[in-house]
Amino acid sequence: MGNLLKVLTCTDLEQEPNFFLDFENAQPTDAEREVWEQVDLVLKDARGVLDELQAYKGAGQEIREAIQNPGDEALQDAAWAAVVHLVGKLKKFYQFSQRLEAALHSLLGPLTSETYDDPTQHLEREQALAKQFAEILHFTLRFDELKMTNPAIQNDFSYYRRTLSRMRINNTPAEGENEVNNEMANRISLFYADATPMLKTLSDSTTKFVSENKNLPIENTTDCLSTMASVCKVMLETPEYRSRFTSEETVSFCLRVMVGVIILYDYVHPVGAFSKSSKIDMKGCIKVLRDQPPNSVEGLLNALRYTTKHLNDESTNKTIKSMLQQQ
């Protein structure tokens, strides 16, 4: 077990825990197995969701032709058929976000419990659960990157809702209406209206977890997040640790996880990730991002710039703002 996660040092100056967490090979212990297996079922489907989202082309052409030729029933039918098929996919992605929320709650329970004295011990003894938490964060940021660069998603869903509304007014039977009823359509619409829907799901879910577990100090959750950010930062900035990765993909994974936990921390912690009292070394984390090839991290820098909650607070260090604003 010590081979998977080893406490290496703890600086006196910042009391920042330095870990090497083996994101590539961590396996569940008997104590972790029940939760691990529940979450694993969700994560097994995550890859397929990303593949489907990446392949999502939209019905832009069919919609344009239908709008330009309102009297052509064949074109109206073709656009409707194309959109109904795609809305089924959008519903599937939304429903997966609900499964992801449940999986996150399953992990936060053991990772923030009073079983151990601090998050260091949790991560040392529950490496496989920490790895799954990291995988959820990695999926979330990747999903939102793909969604943000695909305007067809909202265009398709808007057309679906407009056409469905018109069919109801005209008392026209709408094949495919059963796929997404009005209540579901409202929820899906709200989900995709957010620039980063999966990240919002995770942020809301983490905040909900804290509010539902009032007997659990909020620090148990925020310290878990800040410790994970430190783990990632140290592994990325230290050649000795980084050389242990067997794949460059693990570097990308680690960067996404670091940014994901920073954003979650910023939402859950009362004063956020950018204040002086934050337990995350934001300057160090941003420097790690800046040290990567620019094209590989611009999306992650944008996530910090535009999807955090407290960056633009007056209390945020000007140096941190400046580091993020540099192009």
Side-chain angles (χ1 to χ4, degrees), residues 204-224:
D204 289 350
S205 176
T206 308
T207 304
K208 183 180 172 185
F209 174 83
V210 170
S211 65
E212 286 178 351
N213 292 273
K214 299 189 188 306
N215 59 327
L216 204 64
I218 187 173
E219 290 78 18
N220 286 31
T221 303
T222 55
D223 286 357
C224 173

Side-chain angles (χ1 to χ4, degrees), residues 36-150:
W36 185 90
E37 287 178 349
Q38 291 172 12
V39 176
D40 189 53
L41 290 173
V42 178
L43 289 172
K44 279 179 177 173
D45 291 337
R47 179 72 258 172
V49 169
L50 289 180
D51 288 343
E52 282 194 63
L53 180 57
Q54 194 155 15
Y56 189 101
K57 300 302 182 192
Q61 184 175 342
E62 292 91 338
I63 291 171
R64 278 192 300 275
E65 289 176 352
I67 291 171
Q68 289 166 3
N69 301 278
D72 190 323
E73 286 302 319
L75 290 176
Q76 307 306 311
D77 291 346
W80 178 248
V83 166
V84 166
H85 172 70
L86 292 168
V87 164
K89 288 182 183 291
L90 298 181
K91 176 186 175 184
K92 177 183 173 182
F93 300 160
Y94 166 71
Q95 289 175 325
F96 185 78
S97 77
Q98 296 175 303
R99 292 178 62 202
L100 202 70
E101 179 178 355
L104 180 66
H105 272 229
S106 296
L107 290 172
L108 286 175
L111 288 174
T112 63
S113 71
E114 299 285 333
T115 309
Y116 303 114
D117 292 337
D118 58 43
T120 298
Q121 292 182 2
H122 272 292
L123 293 175
E124 185 175 12
R125 291 167 172 80
E126 298 169 333
Q127 308 97 319
L129 298 187
K131 179 175 180 280
Q132 286 185 319
F133 180 41
E135 287 170 342
I136 285 176
L137 290 163
H138 180 266
F139 164 85
T140 296
L141 267 68
R142 183 65 185 134
F143 182 97
D144 287 345
E145 283 173 6
L146 291 170
K147 183 266 178 184
M148 280 193 287
T149 55
N150 195 339

Side-chain angles (χ1 to χ4, degrees), residues 18-21 23 228-245 247-259 261-262 284-293 296-297 300:
N18 295 350
F19 300 90
F20 183 81
L21 172 56
F23 282 137
M228 182 75 89
S230 296
V231 169
C232 293
K233 180 179 80 74
V234 170
M235 290 198 294
L236 288 161
E237 70 187 359
T238 310
E240 179 193 341
Y241 307 156
R242 188 161 169 163
S243 67
R244 299 185 194 182
F245 298 152
S247 166
E248 272 300 305
E249 287 182 12
T250 309
V251 175
S252 169
F253 179 90
C254 218
L255 288 163
R256 270 206 182 87
V257 172
M258 181 180 75
V259 170
V261 287
I262 288 170
C285 290
I286 295 168
K287 182 179 183 303
V288 165
L289 287 167
R290 290 286 183 196
D291 287 344
Q292 312 306 313
S296 68
V297 293
L300 297 178

Side-chain angles (χ1 to χ4, degrees), residues 150 161 166 211 321-322:
N150 195 339
R161 298 198 77 185
R166 193 164 62 246
S211 65
K321 282 186 180 178
S322 170

